[in-house]
């Protein structure tokens, strides 16, 4: 009998899984269920060029319609999964349809963390996660004069850079003491704070937001100190929350994400999870981590597809992340948690340098500012658990390949 | 304005023989599954009333072949979505992959022409380079029908017209391909994606 594999979620992980299933030779039925009305698309341009101009949605598609026909992947768009009947192996949709499955993959993603403060329902307050979010924001950004961004993470700063390039007055409020504090080294935070200041962004760190003021539409953002910052548009980018409700309601183990093993198997032997919603053990770093990155979604989509085909596809993958702001490409390789030494290579006062994180001399992670070649080398060295001499690493007269 | 190289394809002359595919594969020594140039076959048709017998409908069918590679687009999606900045346009307008920087993530596979080709062995994406250094690309040189040409796209358009999308290729407004086509006599133009 022909097997049916159902994938819930039309993001990077779900799309990659469908692709890998076919490339691995799976000839059964593949159904891809997505809440959104669009074919699976690239999310990363949504905070960048998509907001700045009339970018056709079709330019963002991960794959175009003929690909899904060719690969015989049945798309269920605008279809929300509401529950899983694990005993009967059926996925229920909001429109009362039921999809039987032999194996089910949950690529549910994450949702933007909501700011639950007075005035939160006023018009002009946006979050940015989906194409529909971006389209709504784009319309308002075109007419806005004063934008306040709450949160100086990837989304907030990319959005700030885009809005400044569009000539908007931009203020960024960050509760931590430096931008992107959870993901980059202090030197890199300083660099971006300076770069945004040069571009005219007013970046305030260590600031809590306590309320939004306005009658029907937001007029200002009120800080914890009672300061009022005028705004006709607000975007909140304070992180994401994994989408686990569907899995948790079905009794699948969840703990800040759907708990999976290195092969992306959940606590149900017929159900798998991948991407932003999954918490998996890292082969390279040992700990169980939940990563919100394109790379992780692609990698786990691949691993889950391999597992569904009976192959152990787990690898010691090195996570990587990137962000584009103005003319700066930030690339991050590895996870810096637990580092004891940070070494800057190059002058952080310039537009090209890197910061290397070591633990006991072993390379854990690296942040590269416009240093793509260094980044490529760092990925290999992190995988190889390369040990480096901090003094030699900091010496720019020595080429990296002489380390 | 800098030069923009591109391809001309004569769909009215192509027989679908795939000599271009083989010549390209041989020139670049590609492994199985990697094809910078591919030939696709498109069929279509409709029912039409018989001209002499009222109430009788007859099928009008057609088929033609299309040879397609990277079109070195003016607005390349692959370049836009590459997280490593590994895809660039060179001074001749060719879209090229810097394989030293390619992360192997395959996000550039969102190209509507499916042009980027992943080399599994090397773990990097590869792309038509117009047979850099050769007098002309191998596909062009090999075509027995002379259905392919390569050169300055402005000059090719002056000579061959302005059509750059026929079915089943995507709407050319999406990526502005450096491509000009003489359609097969039955070729419908590419559908509007909107």
């Amino acid at each position: 009998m022909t097997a049916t594999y159902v994938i819930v979620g039309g993001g990077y992980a779900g799309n990659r899984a469908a692709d890998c299933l076919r490339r691995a030779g799976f000839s059964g039925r593949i159904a891809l269920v997505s809440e959104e009305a669009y074919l699976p698309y690239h999310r990363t341009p949504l905070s960048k060029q998509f907001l700045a101009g009339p970018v056709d949605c079709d330019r963002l598609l991960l794959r175009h319609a003929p690909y899904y026909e060719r690969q015989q992947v049945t798309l269920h768009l605008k279809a929300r999964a509401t529950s899983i009947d694990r005993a009967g192996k059926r996925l229920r949709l909001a429109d009362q349809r039921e999809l039987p499955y032999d194996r089910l993959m949950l690529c549910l993603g994450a949702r933007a963390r909501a700011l639950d403060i007075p005035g939160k329902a006023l018009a002009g307050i946006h979050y940015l996660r989906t194409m529909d979010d971006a389209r709504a924001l784009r319309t308002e950004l075109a007419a806005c004069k004063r934008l306040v961004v709450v949160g100086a993470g990837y989304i907030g700063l990319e959005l700030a850079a885009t809005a400044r390039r569009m000539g908007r007055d931009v203020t960024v409020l960050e509760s931590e003491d430096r931008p992107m504090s959870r993901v980059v080294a202090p030197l890199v935070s300083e660099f971006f704070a300076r770069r945004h200041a040069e571009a005219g962004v007013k970046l305030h760190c260590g600031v809590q937001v306590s309320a939004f003021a306005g009658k029907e539409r937001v007029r200002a953002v009120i800080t914890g100190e009672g300061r009022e910052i005028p705004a006709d548009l607000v975007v909140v980018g304070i992180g994401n929350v994994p989408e686990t409700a569907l899995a948790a309601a079905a009794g699948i183990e969840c703990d800040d994400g759907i708990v999976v093993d290195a092969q992306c198997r959940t606590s149900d032997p017929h159900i798998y999870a991948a991407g932003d919603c999954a918490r998996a053990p890292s082969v390279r770093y040992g700990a169980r981590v939940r990563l919100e990155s394109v790379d992780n979604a692609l990698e786990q989509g691949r691993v889950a597809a391999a597992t569904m085909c009976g192959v152990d596809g787990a690898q010691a993958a090195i996570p990587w992340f990137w962000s584009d702001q103005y003319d700066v490409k930030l690339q991050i390789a590895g996870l810096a948690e637990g580092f004891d030494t940070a070494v800057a290579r190059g002058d952080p006062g310039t537009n090209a340098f890197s910061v290397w994180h070591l633990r006991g001399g072993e390379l854990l992670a690296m942040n590269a500012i416009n240093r793509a070649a260094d980044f490529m080398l760092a990925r290999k060295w992190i995988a190889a658990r390369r040990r480096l001499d901090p003094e030699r690493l900091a010496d720019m007269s020595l080429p990296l390949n002489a380390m | 304005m800098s030069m923009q190289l591109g391809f001309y394809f004569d769909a009215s002359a192509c027989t679908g023989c795939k000599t271009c595919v083989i010549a390209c594969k041989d020139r670049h020594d590609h492994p199985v599954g990697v094809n910078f140039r591919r030939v696709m076959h498109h069929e279509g048709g409709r029912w039409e009333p018989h001209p002499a017998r009222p109430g009788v409908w007859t099928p009008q069918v057609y088929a033609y072949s299309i040879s397609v590679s990277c079109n070195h687009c003016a607005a390349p999606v692959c370049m836009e979505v590459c997280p490593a900045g590994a895809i660039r346009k060179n001074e001749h307008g060719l879209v090229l992959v810097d394989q030293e920087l390619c992360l192997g993530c395959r996000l550039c596979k969102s190209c509507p022409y499916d042009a980027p080709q992943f080399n599994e062995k090397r773990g990097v994406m590869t792309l038509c380079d117009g047979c850099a250094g050769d007098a002309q690309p191998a596909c062009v040189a090999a075509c027995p029908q002379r259905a392919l040409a390569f050169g300055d796209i402005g000059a090719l358009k002056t000579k061959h017209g302005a059509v750059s999308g026929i079915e089943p290729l995507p709407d050319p407004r999406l990526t502005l391909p450096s491509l000009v086509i003489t359609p097969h006599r039955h070729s419908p133009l590419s559908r509007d994606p909107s």
Side-chain angles (χ1 to χ4, degrees):
Chain A
M1 202 178 96
T2 307
T4 301
Y5 291 176
V6 176
I7 300 167
V8 187
Y12 289 106
N15 197 71
R16 174 56 57 92
D19 186 52
C20 289
L21 283 171
R22 284 292 183 239
R23 284 199 283 127
F26 174 65
S27 58
R29 285 182 286 264
I30 300 176
L32 185 63
V33 178
S34 173
E35 273 190 56
E36 296 190 64
Y38 312 94
L39 292 174
Y41 59 86
H42 288 275
R43 287 189 198 280
T44 55
L46 295 181
S47 54
K48 302 187 257 297
Q49 60 266 41
F50 184 82
L51 293 176
V55 177
D56 191 317
C57 296
D58 276 17
R59 277 183 67 78
L60 301 190
L61 298 183
L62 289 174
R63 299 283 193 161
H64 290 255
Y67 165 82
Y68 297 99
E69 290 168 25
R70 225 170 32 241
Q71 299 286 48
Q72 296 184 297
V73 174
T74 306
L75 294 167
H76 297 272
L77 302 180
K78 292 193 273 186
R80 188 166 60 84
T82 52
S83 65
I84 303 166
D85 171 7
R86 288 171 56 192
K89 292 211 272 187
R90 302 177 85 81
L91 178 74
R92 294 200 185 92
L93 305 181
D95 60 9
Q96 307 304 318
R97 278 183 296 162
E98 290 194 349
L99 300 181
Y101 66 81
D102 294 288
R103 290 168 196 250
L104 177 68
M105 189 185 303
L106 302 176
C107 305
L108 306 173
R111 64 179 182 280
R113 188 185 300 278
L115 197 52
D116 189 14
I117 56 175
K120 64 184 178 184
L122 289 169
I125 298 171
H126 289 255
Y127 293 83
L128 182 53
R129 175 81 192 172
T130 66
M131 178 85 82
D132 283 339
D133 293 342
R135 292 177 80 162
L137 178 58
R138 181 165 72 177
T139 303
E140 293 214 18
L141 194 56
C144 120
K145 287 184 180 149
R146 287 173 302 195
L147 168 71
V148 173
V149 179
V150 181
Y154 288 131
I155 294 281
L157 292 185
E158 287 175 359
L159 174 61
T162 304
R164 271 311 293 156
R165 282 186 155 173
M166 294 170 71
R168 305 295 176 264
D169 180 281
V170 181
T171 302
V172 179
L173 305 176
E174 168 59 45
S175 62
E176 299 291 330
D177 60 355
R178 60 185 176 92
M180 295 194 287
S181 61
R182 286 190 307 132
V183 290
V184 299
L187 272 177
V188 177
S189 290
E190 283 171 29
F191 169 83
F192 277 102
R194 195 170 59 245
R195 186 69 190 78
H196 279 275
E198 285 166 4
V201 171
K202 289 165 264 183
L203 171 64
H204 304 290
C205 292
V207 173
Q208 301 289 334
V209 172
S210 60
F212 297 118
K215 285 189 177 172
E216 289 180 356
R217 185 176 179 84
V218 67
R219 176 181 54 75
V221 177
I222 313 294
T223 70
E225 298 158 332
R227 193 173 153 207
E228 194 168 298
I229 299 170
D232 45 28
L233 182 63
V234 173
V235 181
V236 180
I238 54 169
N240 297 299
V241 180
E243 287 283 9
T244 56
L246 183 70
I252 295 167
E253 185 186 356
C254 296
D255 175 17
D256 182 34
I258 302 168
V259 175
V260 295
D261 65 11
Q263 285 79 37
C264 294
R265 293 177 292 213
T266 69
S267 54
D268 181 313
H270 301 104
I271 301 178
Y272 307 77
D276 290 8
C277 69
R279 176 172 286 275
S282 163
V283 177
R284 168 63 177 82
Y285 293 95
R288 194 177 284 277
V289 292
R290 188 178 67 78
L291 298 173
E292 292 170 7
S293 76
V294 174
D295 157 58
N296 180 62
L298 297 172
E299 177 62 13
Q300 288 189 341
R302 181 192 67 76
V303 171
T307 310
M308 290 165 89
C309 292
V311 177
D312 180 0
Q315 291 176 353
I318 304 305
W320 53 266
F321 313 82
W322 86 97
S323 178
D324 294 314
Q325 298 168 39
Y326 309 106
D327 55 350
V328 179
K329 181 171 283 294
L330 165 68
Q331 290 173 295
I332 300 171
L335 302 175
E337 201 168 316
F339 77 96
D340 54 34
T341 309
V343 180
R345 186 171 165 82
D347 180 0
T350 66
N351 226 21
F353 68 98
S354 51
V355 179
W356 303 67
H357 294 91
L358 312 175
R359 181 172 58 201
E362 181 184 310
L363 182 61
L364 284 185
M366 184 265 213
N367 301 171
I369 301 291
N370 292 333
R371 286 269 191 187
D374 292 10
F375 166 76
M376 296 300 288
L377 201 55
R379 288 178 71 215
K380 290 178 190 162
W381 286 358
I382 294 166
R385 297 180 179 272
R386 181 79 179 258
R387 299 181 71 81
L388 295 165
D389 178 343
E391 282 186 22
R392 286 171 61 82
L393 189 58
D395 185 350
M396 284 296 282
S397 69
L398 295 172
L400 272 179
N401 54 20
M403 291 293 135
Chain B
M1 188 183 155
S2 57
M3 180 184 243
Q4 174 63 63
L5 293 173
F7 283 103
Y8 163 68
F9 171 63
D10 186 349
S12 70
C14 179
T15 61
C17 70
K18 299 188 176 73
T19 303
C20 53
V21 177
I22 300 304
C24 172
K25 209 168 174 70
D26 183 46
R27 163 68 175 75
H28 297 281
D29 197 19
H30 283 151
V32 172
V34 173
N35 296 298
F36 284 170
R37 183 164 284 282
R38 283 149 289 122
V39 169
M40 57 179 90
H41 305 286
H42 187 65
E43 298 160 3
R46 61 180 182 273
W47 289 87
E48 288 185 348
H50 192 282
R53 299 173 62 190
V56 175
W57 291 71
T58 55
Q60 298 295 321
V61 295
Y62 61 80
Y64 57 87
S65 302
I66 299 177
S67 171
V68 67
S69 73
C70 173
N71 293 307
H72 302 288
C73 302
V77 166
C78 57
M79 192 168 94
E80 196 168 289
V81 299
C82 175
I87 302 180
R88 300 276 171 86
K89 277 177 88 75
N90 75 359
E91 68 275 21
H92 303 300
L94 295 180
V95 178
L96 302 174
V97 182
D98 183 338
Q99 293 176 359
E100 296 296 314
L101 300 183
C102 176
L103 297 164
C105 66
R106 307 180 210 213
L107 292 181
C108 53
K109 290 295 279 182
S110 52
C111 164
Y113 298 95
D114 199 22
Q117 299 286 297
F118 192 69
N119 188 314
E120 294 277 356
K121 195 173 171 187
R122 289 155 56 200
V124 293
M125 198 55 81
T126 57
L127 203 52
C128 162
D129 63 355
C131 292
D134 295 358
Q136 58 181 333
C139 55
V140 173
C143 178
Q145 295 291 100
R146 294 289 173 259
L148 286 167
F150 182 71
D152 176 68
I153 195 65
L156 290 172
K157 283 186 175 172
T158 302
K159 188 173 177 185
H160 298 290
V163 174
S164 54
I166 57 173
E167 281 295 310
L169 297 179
D171 187 304
R173 287 174 293 180
L174 206 55
T175 62
L176 308 177
S178 302
L179 173 69
V180 59
I181 299 171
T182 296
H184 180 269
R185 65 187 182 282
H186 292 304
S187 313
L189 295 181
S190 301
R191 276 175 295 187
D192 180 347
S194 60

